[in-house]
Amino acid sequence: MFSNRDLKKLILPLLVEQLLAVSVGMIDIIMVSSVGETAVSGVSLVDTIGVLIIYMLSALATGGAVISAQHLGRKDNDGANMAANQLLLSTTVLSIVIMAAALLARRPLLNLIFGNVEPAIMQDALTYFQITALSYPFLAIYNSCAALYRSMGNSKVSMKTSILMNGINIVGNAICVYGLHMGVAGVAWPTLLSRAVAALCMLLLIKNPQNTIHIDEHFRLGFHPAVIRKIFSIGIPNGLENAMFQLGKILVASLIATFGTTAIAANAVSNTVATFQIIPGSAIGLAVITVVGQCAGAGDYQQARHYTKKLLKVTHLGLLGLNLLIVLVMPFILKLYSLSRATGELARQILVFHAVACTVIWPSAFILPNALRASSDIKFTMVTSILSMWLCRIAMSYVLGKYLGLGVFGVWVAMVLDWVVRAICFWVRYRGAKWQHQV
């Protein structure tokens, strides 16, 4: 169903898009680091909550993408279009509700999770959270439209929009941080503006009736509960999995906050660079949903297995090449962050460890479950991921980080233990046939 050329056309723009997203995240931290380590820490703490919201919205977008891809696999374009309308409706409404709740409860929420941090860090966190929460509806629209384009096998549109969005963000950061000296707010306002522009662009593009999948050109989305239930049957378990995953990261972040500013800053920088280290996997993981989703829709699981194995091999090779390069240039990367010697050395140790682990283990832990999700095998991936996270990542973070005295490095070791357990469980599932079904 997909030639090598088709796969390249799908994956290469996704690589560029992921590279841009991660690069801008790195640039945000680098720019805000000029304000001080308290600003870096405040932004990083809020990002753990922001990523939780983003993942929840992305999970619904994934649900819509899977349903649309399966309809395309069955040559049912009308069903794919109806799913697109209901996806946009549901994610927009939900994101507005989440935005309102975040704005109303921002102070008690941050105090509850990060109440023990220094007052200066908390103030920066409040400023950043209040502004970026306004962007949740725009992000929901962008993610939903991008997921629909990926369902069609067209990732160039979201790539081009991402270039525009991240360009606005970078220029805005430079003006607001270095020119206007706005501090943390200087990286928050450009984020809001760039997401709003991206959402508007994608919304105008996805209503083009020449697209294989499109929404109503007059935005008459309608209300079809049966279709929404199908989307939610995939999106909610996936969202719950992602929410619990990010909740675990928030709990771990609250543990790291007790280790002091050096640990918080080193973890913030490591998280940013570590996201860069898995770019090939993140891009291919999105492609897997499209490829396996269409194979599953057509009922052709032989091809679904073929493409899963093929894309796993490509992921390992991509991660190997990228992480070798990152380890070689790591001294230069860390110098960009204006870190103290102790913070820089701690970040280096974490990132070298992460480079090895993500090259060997990450694909099985995260590419395989995307193949299962694309075939609507949602409950198994959800239960496995949640149990593994609580038993390995969270529990072992406290054991290794706090009680055995390994600090923030112990938290990263616990994360890799979580990957190992996930990888084993997903390989066992993949070798069987229970994951082969449709919504």
Side-chain angles (χ1 to χ4, degrees), residues 137-432:
F138 301 121
L139 194 61
I141 293 171
Y142 170 80
N143 282 339
S144 296
C145 295
L148 292 172
Y149 270 106
R150 288 194 296 271
S151 296
M152 294 182 261
N154 182 351
S155 54
K156 284 186 178 180
V157 170
S158 59
M159 178 194 72
K160 292 176 181 178
T161 306
S162 179
I163 291 173
L164 173 63
M165 176 173 65
N166 290 311
I168 293 172
N169 199 6
I170 292 172
V171 173
N173 286 346
I175 293 173
C176 294
V177 173
Y178 298 130
L180 302 178
H181 305 288
M182 293 172 61
V184 169
V187 295
W189 284 113
T191 297
L192 172 58
L193 175 62
S194 64
R195 289 175 176 175
V197 172
L200 178 60
C201 290
M202 293 297 281
L203 198 58
L204 294 175
L205 290 169
I206 197 65
K207 73 184 187 72
N208 186 347
Q210 293 184 355
N211 293 328
T212 306
I213 298 177
H214 57 271
I215 65 170
D216 184 86
E217 58 181 328
H218 301 295
F219 302 108
R220 295 171 299 196
L221 303 180
F223 179 62
H224 300 278
V227 178
I228 292 178
R229 280 196 296 270
K230 286 185 178 181
I231 294 172
F232 280 15
S233 70
I234 296 175
I236 289 180
N238 193 24
L240 179 60
E241 176 188 335
N242 289 338
M244 295 297 289
F245 180 78
Q246 289 304 313
L247 175 60
K249 291 186 69 174
I250 291 173
L251 293 176
V252 170
S254 67
L255 170 64
I256 293 172
T258 66
F259 297 152
T261 302
T262 295
I264 296 174
N267 187 66
V269 172
S270 298
N271 275 327
T272 303
V273 180
T275 306
F276 188 87
Q277 289 176 302
I278 60 171
I279 282 177
S282 298
I284 294 172
L286 294 173
V288 163
I289 292 175
T290 298
V291 173
V292 176
Q294 290 196 26
C295 292
D300 191 342
Y301 287 97
Q302 182 177 355
Q303 287 204 67
R305 290 180 180 273
H306 166 73
Y307 288 121
T308 299
K309 292 177 182 178
K310 183 173 185 174
L311 293 174
L312 274 172
K313 292 177 182 178
V314 174
T315 304
H316 279 291
L317 291 174
L319 291 175
L320 176 62
L322 178 60
N323 281 281
L324 284 174
L325 177 61
I326 289 176
V327 169
L328 289 174
V329 301
M330 191 169 297
F332 172 74
I333 293 174
L334 294 178
K335 284 182 180 179
L336 296 175
Y337 286 93
S338 306
L339 301 173
S340 64
R341 179 175 296 182
T343 303
E345 175 59 22
L346 181 55
R348 185 193 67 81
Q349 294 174 4
I350 291 172
L351 289 170
V352 171
F353 171 72
H354 183 265
V356 175
C358 72
T359 299
V360 177
I361 306 168
W362 193 93
S364 295
F366 293 95
I367 297 295
L368 267 182
N370 270 8
L372 302 181
R373 292 185 190 102
S375 184
S376 309
D377 190 30
I378 301 300
K379 291 183 180 178
F380 178 84
T381 57
M382 177 189 70
V383 173
T384 300
S385 299
I386 291 175
L387 289 178
S388 177
M389 180 199 67
W390 283 99
L391 296 177
C392 296
R393 182 170 301 206
I394 296 177
M396 293 306 295
S397 288
Y398 280 85
V399 171
L400 297 175
K402 184 175 182 179
Y403 299 114
L404 295 183
L406 294 180
V408 67
F409 187 81
V411 170
W412 285 73
V413 173
M415 178 187 71
V416 173
L417 291 176
D418 173 32
W419 295 0
V420 171
V421 172
R422 287 168 56 98
I424 293 172
C425 293
F426 291 139
W427 268 112
V428 171
R429 182 72 168 185
Y430 174 78
R431 289 181 179 277

